[in-house]
């Protein structure tokens, strides 16, 4: 277990460093005010209109970094600061979230795959480690039948979460690429503002990359505990 705690600590440290860097970047680029004076909400609404999407609403949601697209009720949810502010950070976030709405409207395959996994992961992710651990306690590593299959079931649950985290990567990177392409092609931002938006989205994507690597590392560790002790 000591190795697992070391692994968790290392992943948590990297995640903290990337998260702090992301917050620092967004704070910095929030001082780069847009020449066109558009708010995040206005940018989101224009991007939707430019893509011919008429059935998605842009709404404000409480909190910081709570921005997301909800495919169920077709809403682009922007945190209060992004919704109201007029800077490179808000432009990047607003356009990125609309990028997800564009993915939904065009049936982007990776988003479709991720959406199908949501119900499964929402049920299994919270209990997977405990199922694996319970199986090991019942004798999985020693080759005892019942405990082994309980642990394997837990690994399958954990595998769905890992798969979800890796499918999320192309979804997030594609949404950012769509956002940046639109911001540039429509001349929504200046060259300086574009550079800020691009840098902010790059660090946002890295948080998902760290999460995916952490999920895979955890899966490999527990798989080694289950299968490593078998003859």
């Amino acid at each position: 277990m000591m190795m697992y705690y070391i692994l968790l600590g290392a992943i948590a440290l990297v995640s903290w460093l990337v998260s702090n860097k992301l917050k620092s970047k967004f704070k910095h680029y929030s001082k780069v005010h847009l020449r066109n004076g558009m708010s995040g909400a206005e940018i989101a609404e224009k991007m939707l209109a430019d893509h011919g999407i008429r059935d998605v609403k842009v709404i404000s949601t409480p909190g910081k970094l709570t921005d997301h697209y909800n495919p169920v009720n077709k809403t682009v949810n922007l945190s209060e600061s992004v919704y109201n502010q007029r800077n490179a950070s808000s432009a990047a976030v607003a356009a990125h979230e609309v990028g997800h709405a564009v993915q939904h409207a065009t049936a982007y395959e990776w988003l479709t795959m991720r959406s199908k996994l949501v119900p499964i992961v929402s049920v299994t992710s919270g209990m997977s480690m405990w199922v694996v651990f319970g199986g090991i306690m019942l004798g999985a590593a020693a080759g005892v039948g019942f405990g082994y299959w309980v642990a394997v079931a837990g690994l399958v649950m954990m595998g769905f979460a890992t798969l979800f985290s890796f499918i999320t990567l192309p979804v997030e990177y594609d949404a950012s690429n769509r956002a940046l392409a639109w911001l540039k092609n429509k001349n929504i931002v200046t060259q300086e503002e574009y550079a800020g938006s691009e840098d902010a989205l790059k660090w946002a994507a890295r948080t998902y990359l760290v999460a995916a690597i952490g999920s895979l590392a955890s899966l490999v560790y527990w798989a080694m505990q289950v299968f490593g002790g078998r003859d």
Side-chain angles (χ1 to χ4, degrees):
M1 287 295 292
M2 181 58 68
M3 189 63 190
Y4 180 65
Y5 289 129
I6 293 174
L7 176 64
L8 277 183
I11 293 170
L13 176 61
V14 174
S15 179
W16 178 79
L17 290 172
V18 172
S19 178
N20 270 18
K21 189 68 173 180
L22 172 63
K23 291 176 182 177
S24 173
K25 289 289 184 179
F26 272 89
K27 183 177 181 180
H28 174 73
Y29 294 123
S30 67
K31 298 175 183 177
V32 179
H33 299 289
L34 296 184
R35 173 197 59 185
N36 60 24
M38 295 176 70
S39 67
E42 291 168 341
I43 286 174
E45 288 167 351
K46 178 168 175 52
M47 186 172 172
L48 286 169
D50 285 351
H51 285 84
I53 300 174
R54 311 293 179 187
D55 58 346
V56 173
K57 292 184 178 180
V58 179
I59 62 176
S60 178
T61 187
K64 291 185 177 180
L65 298 179
T66 52
D67 312 270
H68 64 282
Y69 170 66
N70 188 333
V72 177
N73 60 11
K74 292 189 175 184
T75 55
V76 171
N77 299 262
L78 302 179
S79 57
E80 293 170 343
S81 58
V82 171
Y83 188 91
N84 294 305
Q85 290 187 11
R86 306 166 189 274
N87 52 56
S89 288
S90 60
V93 174
H96 173 86
E97 297 308 332
V98 174
H100 288 308
V102 176
Q103 290 174 338
H104 190 198
T106 57
Y108 180 59
E109 58 183 358
W110 290 102
L111 180 65
T112 301
M113 290 172 62
R114 189 177 72 168
S115 297
K116 289 180 180 178
L117 281 173
V118 168
I120 300 173
V121 174
S122 63
V123 173
T124 61
S125 61
M127 66 176 75
S128 59
M129 190 186 77
W130 297 107
V131 175
V132 173
F133 188 69
I136 291 174
M137 293 296 290
L138 290 172
V144 177
F146 179 70
Y148 171 75
W149 290 112
V150 169
V152 168
L155 287 175
V156 171
M157 294 178 184
M158 196 175 291
F160 279 119
T162 301
L163 177 62
F164 181 85
S165 66
F166 275 92
I167 288 177
T168 293
L169 293 180
V171 172
E172 295 300 327
Y173 277 98
D174 178 77
S176 290
N177 289 338
R178 291 174 190 264
L180 292 170
W182 178 79
L183 288 171
K184 186 175 185 178
N185 294 337
K186 296 293 184 178
N187 295 314
I188 301 299
V189 293
T190 65
Q191 187 173 355
E192 179 190 5
E193 293 162 359
Y194 178 86
S197 297
E198 183 179 36
D199 195 32
L201 290 179
K202 177 181 69 177
W203 280 98
R206 286 175 178 172
T207 63
Y208 292 100
L209 179 60
V210 171
I213 293 173
S215 181
L216 177 61
S218 183
L219 176 63
V220 170
Y221 173 84
W222 285 111
M224 289 174 63
Q225 302 310 301
V226 174
F227 302 121
R230 292 175 62 84
D231 294 330

